[in-house]
Amino acid sequence: MNFKNLLKSVLTLGIFAVLATGCSDEPEVVDPDEGNVVPASGFYLLNQGNMGQNQASIDYYDFSTGTLTLDFYRKQNPTVAMALGDVGNQIAIYDNKVWAVINCSNKVEVMDMECVRIGQIEIPNCRYIAFFGDYAYVTSYAGPVDYQTGPTQLGYVAKINVKTLKEEGRCTVGYQPDGIAISNGKIYVANSYGYTGQNEPGKMSVIDVASFKVDKEVEVGINLNQVAADPEGKIWITSRGNYYNVASAIHCYDPAQDKVVADYDVPNSYITIEGHTLYVIGVNWSLDTYEKQISYAEINTLEGKVTARRWEGSSEYSEMEYPYCLAVAPANGDIFVTDAGDFINPGYIYCFSSDKTFKWRKRTGVSPASIAFLK
């Protein structure tokens, strides 16, 4: 694969090589085969792995002991062939189950709260997951991983019964649907045109939950990626631009007004909302220079204002080579940021207090990509 095509892989699946750096204070990391680890209070961390290597894995962090158990899924499921699979996109907890979207293995893996497999749902080129009532909703590109051809296959959202783990319906949306969020009886889906359609008009599909049909499409920006709903029901969508002359941005859609009410020139590659704060990390690439710029920001969703364009308090922010995902602990506001490093070797997870002070870091699996809190 030539360099340009490799970079396209980065921008859709996050598989790109950069160099990792060192840091201080590395608390205990344990092997999954050492001791009897029983998940209680903490989080699961889904690692993508190196694409094509069946390296997806799940680590478990225990709040009470401060230890990170690597490759916990393998320990809990020693007889599962090929382990978790290829390229872990997202992990989530719902209905006392753990859900992992495994993109290139074309499946959603479902586990109990101790990470023991219950079953799996086959969904081609699945991307992200959201929940409402008795159903999980999963975005699907509906076609193979293909970086060479343009958008040719409309994607869909699969409706999965969380009790039976059976697919009960599909709703066709736009090309290469990625992020998904559910709020006030509507499902919001970011159609990315993700393989070669970065200059196509990016539209968000709005699906009515009750009828499971598309209500409307809203034009937002090119190369859409993530969707998140704030406590007031406003929808926040990220667009990644075209990596040349259109920059990434964050957009706010107000369902009450049925329009995008604000656009923010905030570089982004991953967002999460906790309370009235939208936290943003940005790793923006230029296909002109093949260089990246890293940034951290915050938006007050209630006031609609950018409150920070950089995070102060710790030198570790500048030491991370490729910040990849973040999550905020609801209990105490601790901020967790992963560093994918070179996407080939194990990455890191960093913990910062709510005031952005560095607390610790630990080694993870390869390409740490998504976090789900147990409680």
Side-chain angles (χ1 to χ4, degrees):
M1 181 183 291
N2 64 37
F3 188 80
K4 186 171 182 180
N5 286 337
L6 177 60
L7 188 53
K8 288 180 180 178
S9 302
V10 177
L11 302 170
T12 54
L13 295 173
I15 310 301
F16 180 72
V18 289
L19 296 178
T21 59
C23 186
S24 63
D25 295 335
E26 200 166 324
E28 184 182 5
V29 175
V30 299
D31 184 274
D33 296 325
E34 294 182 4
N36 182 27
V37 178
V38 179
S41 175
F43 61 78
Y44 287 122
L45 170 63
L46 176 66
N47 303 290
Q48 283 188 342
N50 193 0
M51 184 178 177
Q53 302 300 311
N54 283 298
Q55 287 181 334
S57 65
I58 296 174
D59 302 333
Y60 166 63
Y61 178 75
D62 190 311
F63 284 144
S64 62
T65 64
T67 57
L68 182 72
T69 303
L70 299 175
D71 206 2
F72 189 66
Y73 176 90
R74 178 178 63 82
K75 174 184 181 297
Q76 299 294 81
N77 301 276
T79 63
V80 174
M82 305 302 290
L84 191 57
D86 194 25
V87 185
N89 258 33
Q90 184 187 4
I91 192 166
I93 293 175
Y94 188 78
D95 192 46
N96 289 316
K97 300 180 183 71
V98 181
W99 307 71
V101 180
I102 312 299
N103 173 231
C104 291
S105 288
N106 305 303
K107 68 171 183 176
V108 176
E109 185 85 353
V110 187
M111 298 147 277
D112 66 19
M113 293 300 288
E114 294 189 0
C115 215
V116 176
R117 173 193 268 190
I118 297 172
Q120 67 179 50
I121 305 107
E122 295 184 5
I123 301 177
N125 209 337
C126 46
R127 303 293 293 177
Y128 294 97
I129 191 169
F131 304 90
F132 182 79
D134 288 334
Y135 293 95
Y137 297 88
V138 182
T139 55
S140 168
Y141 278 17
V145 176
D146 178 5
Y147 305 115
Q148 307 303 320
T149 59
T152 57
Q153 173 68 56
L154 286 170
Y156 65 85
V157 175
K159 181 179 181 180
I160 309 298
N161 188 305
V162 299
K163 306 298 183 184
T164 66
L165 306 187
K166 301 296 184 182
E167 182 178 326
E168 294 188 3
R170 294 181 179 182
C171 180
T172 300
V173 288
Y175 293 104
Q176 283 83 60
D178 269 332
I180 182 170
I182 302 176
S183 178
N184 294 323
K186 303 293 181 183
I187 305 169
Y188 299 91
V189 179
N191 299 301
S192 71
Y193 295 78
Y195 287 143
T196 61
Q198 286 90 358
N199 289 306
E200 297 291 335
K203 294 182 179 180
M204 177 176 66
S205 295
V206 182
I207 302 170
D208 179 68
V209 170
S211 67
F212 199 46
K213 294 181 179 179
V214 174
D215 268 354
K216 65 187 73 174
E217 288 188 333
V218 180
E219 190 164 326
V220 179
I222 66 173
N223 201 2
L224 302 184
N225 181 211
Q226 292 184 279
V227 186
D230 69 22
E232 283 68 50
K234 296 189 299 297
I235 307 302
W236 298 79
I237 314 106
T238 66
S239 61
R240 293 174 292 190
N242 63 3
Y243 317 112
Y244 287 109
N245 57 0
V246 179
S248 63
I250 297 175
H251 315 271
C252 179
Y253 170 77
D254 184 357
Q257 301 182 56
D258 189 22
K259 67 178 182 180
V260 175
V261 294
D263 301 288
Y264 300 85
D265 63 339
V266 175
N268 62 83
S269 54
Y270 199 100
I271 64 171
T272 191
I273 292 177
E274 180 61 33
H276 295 299
T277 302
L278 186 147
Y279 297 84
V280 187
I281 54 175
V283 183
N284 282 350
W285 284 93
S286 168
L287 287 176
D288 285 325
T289 64
Y290 292 111
E291 295 178 349
K292 69 179 184 297
Q293 292 184 330
I294 297 173
S295 60
Y296 305 85
E298 293 175 22
I299 298 175
N300 183 305
T301 61
L302 192 61
E303 299 177 356
K305 295 180 179 179
V306 179
T307 55
R309 286 188 177 270
R310 58 178 299 172
W311 288 357
E312 306 285 355
S314 301
S315 62
E316 282 74 16
Y317 297 121
S318 62
E319 293 178 3
M320 283 185 274
E321 193 65 27
Y322 203 114
Y324 206 45
C325 85
L326 78 160
V328 181
N332 63 2
D334 277 357
I335 302 169
F336 298 90
V337 182
T338 67
D339 182 4
D342 62 5
F343 289 91
I344 297 172
N345 294 296
Y348 283 99
I349 184 168
Y350 289 72
C351 178
F352 303 90
S353 61
S354 59
D355 65 359
K356 311 301 192 302
T357 302
F358 172 71
K359 297 179 72 172
W360 52 258
R361 80 162 191 176
K362 300 175 187 288
R363 273 289 192 181
T364 67
V366 176
S367 306
S370 182
I371 294 169
F373 294 99
L374 275 74
K375 60 180 179 180

